[in-house]
Amino acid sequence: MEFDLNKIKKSAQEAIEELASPEKLEEIKIKFLGRKSELTELLRSLKDLSIEERRKLGPKLQELKKELERSFDKRLKDLRISHSTLRERIDVTKPGHKITSGHIHPLSKIEEEIEQIFLSMNFSVVEGPEVEDEYHNFDALNIPKDHPAREMWDTFWLRQNEIKNQKSKIKNPEKLLLRTHTSPMQIRYMEKNNPPFQIIVPGRVFRYEATDASHEINFYQVEGLMVGKDMSLANFKFVVEEFFKKFFGSQKIEFRFRPSYFPFVEPGVEVDIKLGKSGKWLEVMGAGMVHRKVFDAVGYNPNDVTGFAFGLGLERLAMIKYKIPDIRLFYSGDLRFIKQF
Ligand code: YSA
């Protein structure tokens, strides 16, 4: 019997050492310690032996069983560790995965650039609501109900049930709309502040109109308003020229003022820009001297104050600066376009 036990122990330990995978080791464990193994058979046959033989052999069989179990468990643990280390081992010669980082949208970049330029000219940056009331978007800007100029700003009106919850916050809540320009912020700012001041208002605006290469249904404007004493269009020309110089840097541009009509300015102009000798003129902003009726609406005395205002199209400026042929590219979500900036 002694001899048999040693043989079992030896062959089990050889098998344990030789096996290199945890799965195979499990199989061998069943062979040496399972229900049909030689060792289990021996343990089972103890009951047929005399008490003396049982006392002699029993502890030895139990001891061998425990010893083999320990060896199997240890080997299994070692194999599992070395296998997982193998899987996780780093190949330092393998080329790394390129991490793609996020990207600031060109329009955000340009908005930031414009803000910095105006801040350097002592303007402040303020923002206003995208959902506006009829009063601030039209009436207070001298565009009364049946005025044909309302057609210049095709409007997205909001359904009453969609805006119920916002009513308490907005003046004249009976008719709300998506602002068609950033000019209503002129009114909101002047209602709460006194001149002299100079502000810009960057923001998104909405128009219910057909899209083409230079028109979108939602786009960005930057409103400007400077109010004080004895101001004239010459002050506006100086500010806008300084702005263009800083914005376009070494790029050669020409700009021109065209007489135009906006009910909230008198006189009114539109500003066009052309890049280089061969470029095409593109209208980039409306502007003018703030109308007396606008000052009336906010409670200023029109005999005491004067000011100029302008509203520029952000995409249009970007299109000129970066020679972008179609405004719709900004909203296409095409990463090949966006990553160029
Ligand atoms: C005029 C006088 C002021 O004292 C102050 C502001 C203004 C501008 C006025 N509120 C306005 O919205 N005029 S505008 O309809 O001519 O638009 C201004 C600029 O926005 C345009 O010059 C153009 O650059 C841009 N724009 C207009 N419609 C657009 C557009 N950009 C993209 N898509 C559209 N659909």
Side-chain angles (χ1 to χ4, degrees):
M1 277 295 200
E2 288 273 331
F3 178 71
D4 283 347
L5 285 191
N6 278 337
K7 208 174 145 196
I8 294 170
K9 185 175 169 182
K10 205 171 163 231
S11 54
Q13 273 169 347
E14 275 171 7
I16 290 170
E17 283 310 310
E18 271 167 27
L19 285 165
S21 89
E23 293 75 24
K24 279 266 150 49
L25 195 70
E26 288 286 3
E27 278 173 31
I28 294 299
K29 188 175 177 185
I30 292 168
K31 184 178 163 197
F32 284 98
L33 291 170
R35 273 190 304 123
K36 289 181 186 157
S37 67
E38 204 178 345
L39 187 59
T40 310
E41 287 291 336
L42 284 172
L43 280 162
R44 221 177 272 135
S45 65
L46 279 177
K47 64 178 184 330
D48 303 325
L49 300 179
S50 65
I51 293 188
E52 236 164 74
E53 276 179 314
R54 234 185 281 167
R55 276 208 190 116
K56 204 172 147 208
L57 200 57
K60 288 186 179 168
L61 287 177
Q62 289 297 351
E63 182 51 38
L64 177 61
K65 190 180 173 200
K66 278 187 191 140
E67 197 182 330
L68 289 185
E69 276 171 351
R70 276 197 298 271
S71 304
F72 271 112
D73 288 349
K74 184 173 179 306
R75 180 75 177 140
L76 197 63
K77 214 166 147 191
D78 291 348
L79 280 178
R80 282 199 177 128
I81 291 170
S82 69
H83 266 236
S84 63
T85 335
L86 205 70
R87 253 181 262 131
E88 283 163 17
R89 197 176 292 157
I90 296 165
D91 177 0
V92 288
T93 62
K94 221 173 150 188
H97 292 292
K98 201 169 171 206
I99 298 167
T100 46
S101 56
H103 198 276
I104 294 177
H105 194 277
L107 289 177
S108 309
K109 238 176 164 169
I110 284 166
E111 185 185 319
E112 172 68 21
E113 230 178 281
I114 293 175
E115 284 178 15
Q116 288 308 323
I117 296 173
F118 279 102
L119 285 168
S120 76
M121 292 196 273
N122 219 14
F123 278 68
S124 311
V125 180
V126 296
E127 285 186 3
E130 289 177 358
V131 173
E132 257 304 352
D133 53 49
E134 197 181 16
Y135 174 77
H136 288 93
N137 199 80
F138 292 126
D139 301 76
L141 287 164
N142 192 30
I143 318 174
K145 297 244 164 350
D146 301 317
H147 198 291
R150 286 210 182 193
E151 279 171 23
M152 285 161 74
W153 292 282
D154 293 314
T155 311
F156 286 107
W157 295 97
L158 297 181
R159 275 194 219 111
Q160 288 303 303
N161 55 0
E162 285 171 11
I163 55 178
K164 239 182 253 160
N165 302 335
Q166 305 181 37
K167 278 190 177 174
S168 55
K169 291 184 212 140
I170 299 170
K171 197 169 170 179
N172 302 336
E174 56 282 353
K175 273 196 133 182
L176 291 186
L177 47 90
L178 295 179
R179 67 176 171 194
T180 55
H181 51 174
T182 40
S183 302
M185 247 328 260
Q186 290 190 29
I187 305 297
R188 288 187 180 278
Y189 189 82
M190 288 191 282
E191 280 172 341
K192 293 205 177 112
N193 298 276
N194 287 318
F197 61 78
Q198 53 272 359
I199 56 161
I200 58 159
V201 190
R204 192 180 208 179
V205 303
F206 307 84
R207 302 244 176 122
Y208 184 55
E209 62 181 15
T211 59
D212 61 26
S214 55
H215 292 84
E216 256 297 352
I217 55 165
N218 80 115
F219 56 100
Y220 284 81
Q221 286 188 338
V222 178
E223 191 81 7
L225 177 66
M226 184 164 186
V227 180
K229 269 196 180 305
D230 302 326
M231 305 204 35
S232 74
L233 265 188
N235 297 109
F236 169 62
K237 185 167 175 262
F238 174 80
V239 168
V240 89
E241 197 164 3
E242 277 303 298
F243 166 69
F244 286 153
K245 266 191 219 153
K246 291 185 170 152
F247 184 74
F248 288 104
S250 58
Q251 286 177 303
K252 281 264 164 298
I253 60 131
E254 282 179 66
F255 70 94
R256 69 182 181 196
F257 284 8
R258 262 185 305 111
S260 188
Y261 172 70
F262 299 97
F264 38 98
V265 285
E266 180 55 40
V269 295
E270 274 175 316
V271 183
D272 302 332
I273 294 191
K274 189 169 86 159
L275 183 67
K277 283 264 170 290
S278 54
K280 278 193 203 145
W281 288 107
L282 189 65
E283 176 210 314
V284 290
M285 68 171 92
M289 298 306 294
V290 179
H291 201 287
R292 296 173 66 86
K293 288 201 174 163
V294 173
F295 287 143
D296 274 338
V298 297
Y300 289 1
N301 183 345
N303 297 322
D304 288 349
V305 290
T306 44
F308 66 78
F310 61 88
L312 65 82
L314 199 81
E315 288 84 352
R316 298 266 180 99
L317 273 188
M319 286 167 80
I320 296 172
K321 182 164 175 167
Y322 297 112
K323 302 193 180 79
I324 296 163
D326 196 316
I327 193 170
R328 289 165 291 196
L329 282 165
F330 288 112
Y331 300 95
S332 63
D334 189 338
L335 292 179
R336 290 168 307 175
F337 168 72
I338 290 171
K339 280 185 174 164
Q340 292 175 53
F341 297 90

